[in-house]
Amino acid sequence: MIGCRIGRMKQILKFLKKEMMLTAALVAAIASMFLSKPDLSLVQNIDWKTLATLFMLITVLEGFKKEDIFVPIIKKTIKISSMIGLTCFFVYSVFFSSMFVTNDVSLIIFVPLTIFLFRAGNQEKYILPVLTLENIAAIRGSLLTPFGSPQNLFLYSQSGISASSFVIMMLPLWLMSFVILFFFIAMLYRKNLKLSIEVKSSDVCGEWKKEGRFKRILYIFLFVLVILCIVTRTSLWPFVTLFVALSLLIFDRKILLKTDYVLLLTFFCFFVFSSSICRNHAVSDFLMDSVKGNEYWWSIILSQLISNVPASIVLWPFSSDLKGLLYGLDSAGLCSIIGSLASVINLRIYSQEYPGNGSRFMKVFTLISLAFFAIVVIPQWLML
């Protein structure tokens, strides 16, 4: 009996060590309850709509990956023979796709393929800089839409701003990033702009199976339904959530086991943390005085400690400038790995392919990403 308990305890500790973001959120949530006595308002202040929407989005996108929805696009990569062309394809595929399938999913789709093709074409020395550019593309491409990233989804839900106003507000950053990314790609191949790559095998991904046609249509339909739910801010979101869950339970219940419940639980813990500190007058007064008017810098700095998603939850109640908050949060991932959950996912994928080389990834990522941040940080601040 005692041995069993010790074994379970070790498994729990191993899990918490692996999921450091969840551990931090859990510790923060528990600690915050000592600041304010928990009551019914704690549960009422949790943004259940955002949690439900996030559940639908990440679950449906798991189906996208499982059913290889992007096979036709990915297959075209084999036809590209120049390194600068292939890099542009990957970087801008991440840039554009992240607007719709979120930044972390776009990296999960294209990063493994990048590694595979560059290996097959004997161009491994370019893998790290290209993965870093894809990381930047995911962070900066996703900022345009309300559903491009979890922090955008949360702030869009809370602010009440229209989808069109949101896009217009973020468009200057998106366009600026589009241009700068091309400049960085050109600099990467400046010594040989005509460098070529040849991949003999065209087996870069799976084929669409005839029997999977129904599920592909189902996931595309559910994805459109979720996007409409987000954009229209319908009060019927509980029924939409129930419909999505039941559809998956009936037609593809295994996908529900692949949902990132760790991310959902992390969000929940930070909602608890945010609600608790808001009810503590001393802490809330300090944050209200400090954050108001300085949302841009606060969001960048705090994200380096707890990542941009939880930072958005913590700072929103004390913010009066949605634009400044968004500009900072959607730039914070350029400063460090911790700044964005998408960057952590990228590091995980690379480390699985190249065990023990995490420090190399960190070095290249920090150098290139900070250079990009240095270019955009002041112009963005002036736009505010």
Side-chain angles (χ1 to χ4, degrees), residues 76 124 132 184 266 337:
K76 293 187 181 296
E124 279 190 277
T132 301
F184 271 64
T266 302
I337 288 287

Side-chain angles (χ1 to χ4, degrees), residues 176-286:
M176 178 171 62
S177 301
F178 180 92
V179 174
I180 298 172
L181 273 170
F182 185 78
F183 171 76
F184 271 64
I185 294 171
M187 286 296 293
L188 179 61
Y189 298 107
R190 65 190 180 278
K191 293 182 179 179
N192 188 359
L193 294 174
K194 294 182 179 180
L195 183 64
S196 63
I197 182 171
E198 183 181 350
V199 181
K200 295 178 181 179
S201 173
S202 61
D203 188 23
V204 295
C205 59
E207 297 284 351
W208 272 2
K209 295 178 181 179
K210 202 172 183 180
E211 58 270 24
R213 186 169 180 267
F214 172 77
K215 286 184 181 178
R216 288 194 294 273
I217 294 172
L218 173 67
Y219 281 117
I220 291 171
F221 168 74
L222 292 177
F223 178 72
V224 173
L225 183 65
V226 174
I227 297 303
L228 286 174
C229 180
I230 295 169
V231 174
T232 60
R233 286 196 174 90
T234 177
S235 58
L236 300 175
W237 62 266
F239 300 101
V240 177
T241 306
L242 184 61
F243 176 79
V244 171
L246 286 175
S247 298
L248 296 174
L249 191 62
I250 295 168
F251 298 110
D252 196 4
R253 66 183 61 188
K254 287 183 179 179
I255 206 71
L256 293 170
L257 299 175
K258 294 184 178 181
T259 299
D260 191 353
Y261 295 107
V262 170
L263 178 61
L264 292 173
L265 187 55
T266 302
F267 256 70
F268 176 82
C269 289
F270 275 114
F271 277 133
V272 171
F273 173 75
S274 179
S275 177
S276 295
I277 64 172
C278 281
R279 290 183 295 117
N280 183 283
H281 296 296
V283 177
S284 62
D285 288 346
F286 167 75

Side-chain angles (χ1 to χ4, degrees), residues 15-38:
F15 173 78
L16 291 174
K17 188 177 179 181
K18 179 184 176 185
E19 302 294 345
M20 291 302 294
M21 192 59 65
L22 172 60
T23 304
L26 194 59
V27 170
I30 294 170
S32 67
M33 290 184 186
F34 290 96
L35 293 174
S36 304
K37 188 179 178 181

Side-chain angles (χ1 to χ4, degrees), residues 108-125:
I108 290 168
I109 293 168
F110 290 102
V111 165
L113 185 61
T114 303
I115 294 172
F116 174 84
L117 282 181
F118 279 40
R119 270 178 177 171
N122 296 315
Q123 298 291 357
E124 279 190 277
K125 67 177 181 179

Side-chain angles (χ1 to χ4, degrees), residues 344-382:
V344 176
I345 290 170
N346 202 357
L347 173 60
R348 278 186 183 179
I349 297 171
Y350 178 80
S351 297
Q352 287 172 357
E353 295 293 331
Y354 295 94
N357 283 332
S359 58
R360 282 191 63 214
F361 181 96
M362 296 284 286
K363 183 179 178 181
V364 175
F365 171 89
T366 303
L367 182 65
I368 298 176
S369 200
L370 270 179
F372 195 99
F373 177 76
I375 293 171
V376 301
V377 62
I378 299 302
Q380 288 178 174
W381 179 59
L382 293 174

Side-chain angles (χ1 to χ4, degrees), residues 2 14 67 81 115 167 201 236 249 262 290 313 324 356 358:
I2 296 174
K14 185 179 179 181
E67 298 302 324
S81 59
I115 294 172
V167 171
S201 173
L236 300 175
L249 191 62
V262 170
S290 303
I313 299 170

Side-chain angles (χ1 to χ4, degrees), residues 1-9:
M1 182 72 72
I2 296 174
C4 243
R5 287 178 181 175
I6 293 172
R8 285 177 186 173
M9 203 53 150

